[in-house]
Structures are given as C-alpha cells and as structure tokens.
Amino acid sequence: MRKKTQVADVNRSLYDIKDKFEYSFKTDGLNEDVIREISAQKNEPDWMLEFRLKSLGIYHKLDVPPWGPDISGLDIDNIITYVKPKTDLNVTWDDVPEDIKNTFVRLGIPQAEHKYLAGVGAQYDSEVVYHSVQENFRKQGVIYLDMDTAVKEYEDLVRKHFMKCVPPSDHKFAALHGAVWSGGSFVYVPAGIKVEIPLQSYFRSNAPGAGQFEHTLIIVEEGASLHFIEGCSAPKYSVNNLHAGCVELYVKEGAFLRYSTIENWSKNMYNLNTKRAIVEKNGTIEWISGSFGSKVSMLYPMSILKGEGARSDYTGITFAGEDQVLDTGTKVVHAAPYTTSNINAKSISKSGGVSVYRGVVRVLPNAHHVKSSISCESLMLDSDSRSDTIPVLDINNDEVDIGHEAKIGRISDEVIFYLMSRGISEEEARAMIVRGFAEPIAKELPLEYAVEMNNLIRLELEGTIG
Amino acid sequence: MSVVINQPVNTLPVLTYRWLKLNELKLSEPIGIPIKPYSKQFVANLDAVKQMIEIDTGPPAAEIQVLGAGVSSQLTRLSQTSANTGIQIIVPPNTVVEQPLEIAYRLDADDCSVIDNNLIIAEADSQITLIFDYSSAPDAAVVHNGLTQIVAKSGSVVNIVKIQRMQDQAVHFDAVMAEIEPHARVNLIQAELGGKLAVTNYVTNLHQAADTKINSLYFGDQDRVIDVSYLMNHIGRHSTSQLTARGVLKDRARKAFKGTLDFKKGASRAEGSEHEYVLLLDPTVKSDSVPLLLCGEEDVKGEHAASCGKFDPDQLFYLMSRGFDKIQATKLIVEAVFSPVIGEIPNDKLQTVISEVIQRRLAGE
C-alpha cells in the first residue's frame, strides 16, 4: 500500500491572539446615514462623501458574481462595517496603547522595523494606529501616510487617483469598498527616487464581525522604484469576517514597483480583495503573492499594461487546507505594443481544501509584439481536496508570442523511489519535493515572509515524520 | 414548420469572469431551423457494412440518457424530438468492421436543414469507424444540428470522424457524447472548416482504463465564428485522454476553444493531456482559449498547454529564400500544421478535399 503524505494543520495560534475588544464607535448595516456618519467622523472633504454615496448606490445595484466560490455565508448587512479603535494616529511607537502594541509585538513588527524596514503603516481594526517613516525618505520627498490623512493632506493627488484604477462599478465588493473604505496606506515616490529599503504595512483586523476595507494607493513616478510589502494576519472569531480592501498602483514611465503580500487571514475570513496596477511605458509591476489563510479568498491582482514596453510579473502560491476555498490568480491586460507578462502560479491542496487558479491574459487589438508566458502547477496532497485551474487566453492580435502550461499531480512515486535509492528517507524525500515546489516563491519573498512560508513547510515536515 | 434557436451555446462547465463574455456564446440573432424531411441518400456504403452490423437509417426510436447539455439543452432536445435524419447502429460483440461507414450530408436550397440524431452502440470488443461529412451548396442559408451518442462497451473501439466544410452562409451545431466503458476507446477526428457559425461540443465519461483521443483542426477565415468545446470526465481508474487541437485563424475569424479535463474523485492513476496550437495570420483575428483543469483526485496526472502566435519569421524567410512566394510559403506552413490531423482521416478522397478547401481559402479565392 502506498503511503500518503500527512500534513499537519498550520498552527496559527500565534495569529489567533485576541485582545480585549474595545471600540469607541461602530455601526451596523449599510445605508446613507451610515456613510454620512463615517465620512463625518473622518472629517473628510465633500467630494469623498459624494464618492462614498455614489459607490453605495452602485453597491445596491450590483449582484454578487455568479462564478467562483460560494460566499452565501456572508451577510453584509450584519457585519460591522466600520470600527474605530480607541486611539488616534500615533507618531512614535511609545504612544501606541499597550494592548494594541502587545498584538504587534507578538507579530514581531517592531523588531522587523529596526532590522529591515523603512516604515510601518500598521492597521488596527479599521484605523491606522501606528505609523513611521524613516527621516531620509522624507528628505527624498517620499510620502508614506495612512490613507485617511492623505485624503486631507494631499487632496489633489488622492482625488486624481482614488478609485480611478479600480472603479466602484467594477464589482459589488469594489462598490462596497468605495462606500465604506477606511484606513490603508498612501505612498508617493517622486520621479527618479529609488527607495532602497522595502516599505511595509502590517495590519490585522481585530473586532468580531468587523469588515476591513483598507485602501492602498501607491504612485511611483517616472524612473522611480519601490518595494512595498503588505501582510495580513487576523485573530480567529466565530463571526464570519469580510475583508474587501482595494489596492491601486500607478507605475509611471520607466518606474518599478514590487508588491509583495502574504495573506494570512484567520480561517473564518471572506477575503474579497481587489488589487490592480496601471503600468505606463517601460514600467514594471511585480506581484509576489502568498495566500494561506481565510475561509474564502477571491483575489486576482490585475495588471493593465498601458504603455509600450510595460511588464508584469506574477509569482503566487496558494495553500488551501481544511475548510478553505482559495480562488486566486492574476489578470493581465496587454493594452500596448511590446508588453510582456510572466505568470508563475503554484498551489497546494490538502485536508479537503480547495485551491483554484483563475486568471486571464487579454491582448487588445492594437497590442502587437506581446509576449506572455503562463505556468500553473498544482500539487494535491490527498483526494479529499480539490484543485482547479481556470485560465483564459483572449488574444486579439496576431503578432504575439503566448505560451501557457498547466500541470496537476501528486508527488511522483518514481522520484521518491529515486531519492530513497540515494539513501534519503521517504519522509525527507517527500519534504524535499514539497520544499522544492514552493522554493521559487519563497526565494522571492522578503525575509520575515519567507520565514512564515518556511514555517508552513516545516510543519509539513513534522506532519510527514509524525 | 420551424423552430427558433435563441439560447446561448457552449456554456463552460465552470464559470469565470463575466467581462470576458466567454462563459457562453450568445447567438448574435435567433436562428430559425426549418423542420422538414431530408430527401437525399446519406449513407454512401450501406451495402458493404450492413451484413456485419445492425443498422437503421433514421433517428433512433428510443432515447438514451444524455451526458450533458450538448451544445445547448435546447439544441439537444431539438435533435431528440425533431430529427429529420440519423442512424442507429449496433455493432455485435467481437465484430470488427474494417471499412469506415461514410455518412455524407449535402445541404442546399431544398434540403436546408439537417437535424440528425445518431446512436452508436459498440458491443464488447467490437470495432467500427464512422465518417460524417457535412457540406452545403454555395449561397444556401442552411442549418445543421446534430447529436451523436456513443456507447462504447468494454474493450470496443469507436472511431468518429466529423468533417464540416459547409459554405459561408451555413450554421453548424454538433454534439457528440460518448460513454466509454472499461477498456474501451473512442477516437474523434474533427475538422471545422466552414460555416459562418460553427459550434461543436464533445463530452465523454471515461470509466476504468477507458481512453479517448481527440485530434481536431479548425480553420477560420473571413468572418467565421468557431466555438469548440471538449469535456473529458475522468471517472474510472487508469482512464486516459489526449486532446490535440490545431488551428489557423485568418481575416476577422473568431474562435473560442474550451477544453476541460475533469478528474473525479476516485479516478486514481488517470492521465489527461490537452494541447492547443494556434497559428494567427492576421491582426484582426480573435483567439480565445479556456483550458480548464478540474481535479478532485490526488493520484492523477493532468496537463494542458496552449501556444498561440504568428509563424516563425525564420521559417517564412527560409521558404521564401527557396523561391516560394509568401502565399505559397504560408500554404506550406499551414499544411504542415494540419497534416497530423488530415493524415488521420481514413479516406484519401476526403483528405484531398480538405487540403484543397484550405489551400483555396489561404489564397483568398
């Protein structure tokens, strides 16, 4: 009888720490009054209130997509859409309230900052509570603010870009986001500036039933470069949680942006996040995406290659365990000639988990000399799990070079046998193969995220040996 | 009397983003299909084979369960209830019919619709080959809607060749459904060459150690719309499938290729592969591919690959340096793309006819 690889569930107790729940303001349900209240609380400009109200109208008109995972467990009207923690913006770490700080300490954020990080935009519940930017960046003219402040301090810049990349009409949850968004990061890198150290935003949601609607807006001007790291981790609660964030990235001519994410939500989270980049001439967007947590994820970072010579690279890994449906992938629109995209997606399914790669590469009629290479690989660790690959190639020009490959399978007995013949134990051989499978992703991740991924694989090792 | 077809066709087994408009093909306008008898003889070599098998011309009297919606449930129902032609075949156990059975329909102003319903039952360890050839008279607005159901019993082999070379005004809908029992094989060779709209749908249930091979070609030029769909349901252990589709698109042709490998739980040691090669000849073409890989079983091997682009400029340059002009060189390259499929057709005359159709169209005649 052949042995099956046994993989233990990821121990996420570290991330399931919850502090005593306190809030100074919250609302249930979703109507015009709620939106007005949110906006008034934030003391926003009028145009933003109007934008929210317009989005609310769109939200009520749009339907839930008929495709993709089942999200009927979600009842948006009973979700606390907005929770404001009992602290205002903090400039220094010392000012952060103790219980909130404890959560971050346990997540290792301050240490990481000393070693490695340029700034921390950490979101506690729906509001940014802690924030710091290294002095030299300020001198370079790099702006790194929480989104709420940016709306007031850089009103014109925000107004020009806010939800222009992802319009509220895009889908129901984008409209919801437009109506109730709160918190998030704003980054502006002036022309020619190379930000050498990655900027990191580590946020987590903490209120039972709280929705997280953070908005990330990044503008990388001509010839500038930035690496932005987003990480998510949320404590576990019995109420279903919704995360409908929005990430808008503007990569200008010749600019470079790498956007790395580890989505590590607790296993009751509906993660319906929308991420999109518009890339101008000779600009590059790189997406590094790891999806591990959540109950249901629908996450498809999209690149619109708008200028000649623009480029998009997507490297993603999805690990679906028990009771998880992780529907992830990427969308690329080649809207200009000589644009390039590379997609490298991997998934692992175990213990009844469902992982789905869903993506599209669309080449518009005017986009000649397009190159695209797509590779999807899935590993099934048992037959209780599922793994689906749903790619689309939509080609509207003949001057293209498009290649697509997808593979699905288990760990091959022949390979195990070969390694064993070399004196490696079966358990170690299996572990080596799984590590090798995830390696191309792990090596693209920044240190502490790679540690998190290694942690997953280590747990897998333990499960195999045990 | 006629029926109006208005339902969307070739719905994907699993839906995806709506903005792509690829979950199903909506007909640009309702299509009326006249229901009246088909007048011509359509089995070319009936006498040669009728000693060996049970054969009835005309749609089958009894219905068997369909494996899916087919092109659409509306069209499948139409073939079940209102077929004006068809054949029913039972190949007795251990009978090997060497000579292919040739079924040819010629649509024209008089016979402007063919609604065929075919049932092929291959008993244990039998073998049969059928060639279906659909053509139409120039300038005749005709419609074909077909349903072919195959039951390949244990150890049998059924080869189906479907050639569609109708003229520019024709509409073609064709569904093939195959229940492939243990150790049986069904091979499909398909050539989609004509019609203004060609929609085909192939679905199989593969039981233990069952096998299906699909060799398909499509050639789209002018304003043709081609929508081909294949669904391989791997149900049994050790079941295998191989799909190879080769296409050439020219002018304003639009094509959607939908190929799904569905490994059901329990189909351990199943293997499936899917390959699509598309050669694009003009910037105005549209080529959509949706190769789905669905998997609920750990111990399987599934792969799909698609490539799409213009032909290699070096190849073209080489041929032109040898004295071929661009059209001749293009013809040679296209012939090379299609020859693995055309070469499989067990009828020399049809091979020539197909090659000629393609060559003529490439030259813009």
Side-chain angles (χ1 to χ4, degrees), chain B residues 31-347:
Chain B
I31 294 169
I33 306 185
I35 297 178
K36 59 177 199 175
Y38 181 79
S39 65
K40 300 187 196 72
Q41 177 66 34
F42 57 92
V43 186
N45 52 347
L46 188 60
D47 293 340
V49 294
K50 75 176 177 197
Q51 306 306 324
M52 304 178 72
I53 58 177
E54 288 177 43
I55 179 164
D56 278 319
T57 54
E63 269 181 30
I64 66 162
Q65 172 128 29
V66 289
L67 302 187
V71 174
S72 75
S73 52
Q74 188 183 27
L75 286 163
T76 299
R77 197 75 210 134
L78 179 69
S79 279
Q80 287 178 314
T81 57
S82 312
N84 61 4
T85 180
I87 49 156
Q88 240 189 116
I89 291 174
I90 298 172
V91 189
N94 304 308
T95 306
V96 175
V97 184
E98 296 283 356
Q99 194 182 2
L101 184 65
E102 290 166 34
I103 296 142
Y105 289 105
R106 173 88 178 165
L107 291 89
D108 53 29
D110 294 328
D111 285 318
C112 60
S113 71
V114 165
I115 305 167
D116 56 336
N117 184 6
N118 310 300
L119 177 60
I120 297 139
I121 297 171
E123 296 288 354
D125 302 309
S126 66
Q127 198 168 325
I128 190 165
T129 300
L130 293 105
I131 302 175
F132 292 86
D133 175 26
Y134 302 94
S135 64
S136 72
D139 304 320
V142 298
V143 187
H144 164 243
N145 178 48
L147 171 65
T148 303
Q149 287 176 279
I150 300 160
V151 180
K153 300 218 172 150
S154 161
S156 65
V157 179
V158 178
N159 301 305
I160 300 284
V161 181
K162 285 260 179 183
I163 292 157
Q164 188 271 112
R165 51 186 178 98
M166 296 199 285
Q167 300 291 327
D168 299 350
Q169 287 73 28
V171 173
H172 173 70
F173 299 115
D174 197 54
V176 178
M177 301 175 179
E179 189 80 48
I180 312 178
E181 297 190 357
H183 302 278
R185 299 209 307 263
V186 171
N187 301 311
L188 174 70
I189 296 165
Q190 188 189 1
E192 287 303 321
L193 301 166
K196 64 175 177 185
L197 172 65
V199 186
T200 70
N201 189 292
Y202 178 63
V203 53
T204 65
N205 281 353
L206 291 147
H207 297 277
Q208 192 187 340
D211 175 69
T212 190
K213 277 187 194 60
I214 300 146
N215 241 322
S216 153
L217 76 80
Y218 54 82
F219 179 70
D221 61 345
Q222 301 172 59
D223 294 291
R224 262 175 255 287
V225 176
I226 300 169
D227 199 298
V228 289
S229 171
Y230 307 88
L231 169 61
M232 275 63 75
N233 289 314
H234 283 267
I235 296 164
R237 289 166 55 82
H238 294 278
S239 54
T240 51
S241 68
Q242 287 140 61
L243 161 61
T244 310
R246 293 159 187 276
V248 173
L249 297 175
K250 188 175 173 288
D251 305 323
R252 295 155 307 278
R254 299 160 63 94
K255 174 274 314 183
F257 166 89
K258 300 161 179 173
T260 305
L261 291 173
D262 190 349
F263 295 101
K264 309 284 188 192
K265 191 172 177 172
S268 56
R269 302 285 165 113
E271 287 187 27
S273 69
E274 212 178 278
H275 295 270
E276 193 202 13
Y277 307 99
V278 195
L279 185 59
L280 306 175
L281 299 181
D282 285 301
T284 41
V285 299
K286 181 173 173 65
S287 171
D288 290 316
S289 303
V290 193
L292 305 182
L293 200 48
L294 312 176
C295 186
E297 166 61 45
E298 164 217 21
D299 192 5
V300 300
K301 274 188 196 158
E303 55 160 353
H304 57 67
S307 65
C308 170
K310 268 176 108 80
F311 44 61
D312 188 350
D314 292 344
Q315 260 179 4
L316 189 65
F317 181 79
Y318 173 78
L319 288 168
M320 288 171 79
S321 76
R322 292 289 178 173
F324 293 101
D325 65 26
K326 200 178 169 188
I327 287 181
Q328 286 171 321
T330 306
K331 282 181 176 177
L332 276 173
I333 293 168
V334 170
E335 203 173 290
V337 170
F338 284 153
S339 65
V341 188
I342 296 174
E344 293 275 308
I345 296 169
N347 181 308

Side-chain angles (χ1 to χ4, degrees), chain A residues 147-257:
Chain A
M147 201 59 212
D148 295 304
T149 308
V151 170
K152 288 169 221 159
E153 286 185 17
Y154 295 90
E155 192 178 338
D156 291 347
L157 203 54
V158 172
R159 192 172 183 176
K160 198 175 147 200
H161 295 93
F162 186 83
M163 293 198 87
K164 294 288 193 293
C165 185
V166 180
S169 56
D170 211 65
H171 56 85
K172 191 172 182 75
F173 296 98
L176 177 66
H177 177 89
V180 303
W181 76 271
S182 177
S185 301
F186 174 78
V187 184
Y188 178 82
V189 186
I193 300 295
K194 313 262 184 232
V195 180
E196 304 286 347
I197 308 165
L199 283 182
Q200 169 168 314
S201 147
Y202 210 118
F203 51 82
R204 53 183 303 179
S205 61
N206 209 14
Q212 288 270 294
F213 301 100
E214 86 291 342
H215 194 93
T216 301
L217 176 56
I218 298 177
I219 302 160
V220 187
E221 288 286 3
E222 268 181 43
S225 80
L226 173 71
H227 182 188
F228 190 85
I229 304 164
E230 172 204 282
C232 311
S233 161
K236 207 173 203 164
Y237 278 100
S238 57
V239 183
N240 283 330
N241 278 356
L242 169 65
H243 175 242
C246 178
V247 174
E248 296 185 286
L249 311 175
Y250 294 87
V251 182
K252 300 292 169 74
E253 194 174 326
F256 172 91
L257 174 59

Side-chain angles (χ1 to χ4, degrees), chain A residues 315 317 344 346 348 432-445 450 453-454 457:
Chain A
T315 309
I317 189 156
N344 182 6
K346 301 205 174 204
I348 302 171
M432 278 172 80
I433 293 160
V434 174
R435 271 203 306 260
F437 184 77
E439 192 333 279
I441 316 285
K443 77 176 179 9
E444 295 298 329
L445 291 168
M453 251 202 60
N454 285 345
I457 293 167

